[in-house]
Amino acid sequence: MDALVNFPDDAGVVGPPRDQVRQDFEAGRMRPEWSWLLEDDGRLVGRALWWGRGDSVPSALDALDVVPERADPRSAAVDMLRGGHADFAASGKPVLPPYTVRLPGGWRQNERATHAATWRCEAMADVGATSSLERLQYLWTPESWVQATSTRLEFRSGSDEEFVELFREAARGSLDVETRRALETMDELAQARDDFEFYAGCPGDRDWWRVALGGDGVPVGFIVPSATPYHRNVGYLGVLPSHRGRGLVDDLLGEVTRFHADAGADLITATTDITNLPMAAAFDRAGYLVTETRLVLEAPR
């Protein structure tokens, strides 16, 4: 365990903090049977650590590392990936878990980060994960500001059925890449139910969710404040298609931020696609700062 936790850092990527890795193993989010190692004469030279939330098989690859002196990190990584994937497939995991490569901002101008990203992307492609998505990771802390309460919207709770319908409506014309990809392989209702079930299964409480109402009492959007096992998270927010273009995203994000801040959150995280310029601009206006870039690598659907 100590060797896994204290594996040498790769300066090109933002690896999971060592304390977090140890806590994940203690909580069962990482497990020995989900961890594949590469040894050379008894020395640990590579690690692949998968992560999950209590399932019988993991849902994501959280760390893929090879010691810097290894001449061919790509092939070393492929050996670990193939071992892990074969084991998970035998346990009933038909789809390769995605891997998120966490990189510093402006990573393409950083030679170390470019090298670190390249061999990891190539290794994942070698085992079938050829689809990629680039995202920006944001952070809010109390040193930033909280927007004033919206004067245009009111917020109330809603039933499960209502939120499924809101997820379905908000997906139409969405700039979110994951949402658009999902709609290529399933209908609107199935995709909405998947979103609902995902956020309902996150550590945040279902009671946090709110429907956003316009001045006439008609729903114009909704917010799903959420959490990870480590801290509070923006989660999901959506403006319904007929109400877009009025800047309501600021009202929704402000309400999520205020909700978490009022609960005493010492930080709030958020993520959006690098191509979703309106959402990125909303985070900038709300005082969220970009902390890293994330490359999500997965198998084509």
Side-chain angles (χ1 to χ4, degrees):
M1 181 63 68
D2 288 339
L4 277 180
V5 172
N6 296 316
F7 195 87
D9 292 330
D10 184 337
V13 299
V14 181
R18 288 175 176 151
D19 287 347
Q20 179 179 307
V21 173
R22 190 177 297 277
Q23 292 167 10
D24 281 340
F25 272 105
E26 291 172 352
R29 292 186 291 266
M30 288 182 177
R31 304 177 188 178
E33 64 267 29
W34 294 350
S35 305
W36 280 71
L37 318 176
L38 188 66
E39 290 186 343
D40 187 355
D41 289 333
R43 174 175 174 251
L44 183 62
V45 297
R47 69 174 183 177
L49 306 179
W50 279 268
W51 184 99
R53 285 204 304 243
D55 298 321
S56 59
V57 289
S59 57
L61 175 62
D62 206 40
L64 181 63
D65 300 303
V66 178
V67 292
E69 60 269 28
R70 195 77 178 186
D72 186 4
R74 172 181 178 177
S75 63
V78 168
D79 286 342
M80 293 185 289
L81 292 170
R82 285 179 175 156
H85 289 163
D87 204 28
F88 304 148
S91 301
K93 181 73 174 179
V95 179
L96 305 180
Y99 170 42
T100 299
V101 187
R102 301 168 58 190
L103 299 160
W107 66 273
R108 287 184 173 83
Q109 287 73 52
N110 181 321
E111 185 175 350
R112 283 185 174 179
T114 302
H115 171 71
T118 298
W119 70 255
R120 286 173 170 85
C121 290
E122 290 174 345
M124 289 294 288
D126 288 343
V127 297
T130 56
S131 177
S132 65
L133 170 61
E134 190 165 349
R135 313 198 81 198
L136 297 174
Q137 179 75 6
Y138 285 87
L139 178 68
W140 179 96
T141 65
E143 287 70 35
S144 190
W145 61 89
V146 179
Q147 293 172 238
T149 303
S150 175
T151 58
R152 299 190 289 177
L153 303 179
E154 293 184 357
F155 295 86
R156 64 162 173 79
S157 58
S159 67
D160 291 356
E161 293 76 14
E162 183 174 18
F163 274 106
V164 169
E165 177 59 23
L166 290 169
F167 274 113
R168 187 180 68 83
E169 290 187 50
R172 296 173 181 168
S174 172
L175 296 178
D176 182 79
V177 174
E178 280 292 318
T179 298
R180 294 164 66 177
R181 286 178 178 175
L183 288 173
E184 293 175 358
T185 58
M186 63 179 69
D187 61 38
E188 290 182 347
L189 184 56
Q191 189 272 335
R193 286 174 175 158
D194 273 3
D195 278 348
F196 178 93
E197 291 172 3
F198 172 80
Y199 286 101
C202 288
D205 292 342
R206 169 65 177 81
D207 292 342
W208 298 353
W209 302 11
R210 293 290 182 270
V211 180
L213 308 176
D216 54 3
V218 174
V220 299
F222 64 109
I223 59 173
V224 179
S226 191
T228 73
Y230 320 109
H231 40 63
R232 294 210 174 205
N233 182 264
V234 168
Y236 188 106
L237 57 87
V239 179
L240 303 187
S242 60
H243 298 280
R244 291 172 182 158
R246 298 165 49 198
L248 294 179
V249 63
D250 292 332
D251 301 64
L252 298 180
L253 180 56
E255 184 67 16
V256 174
T257 305
R258 185 165 42 258
F259 173 81
H260 286 321
D262 288 348
D266 56 355
L267 59 87
I268 307 167
T269 59
T271 310
T272 194
D273 301 334
I274 199 169
T275 55
N276 192 341
L277 300 181
M279 192 68 243
F283 283 126
D284 293 339
R285 292 191 295 270
Y288 285 71
L289 301 177
V290 176
T291 57
E292 62 191 41
T293 301
R294 296 187 169 187
L295 287 180
V296 182
L297 310 174
E298 61 183 355
R301 301 185 185 182

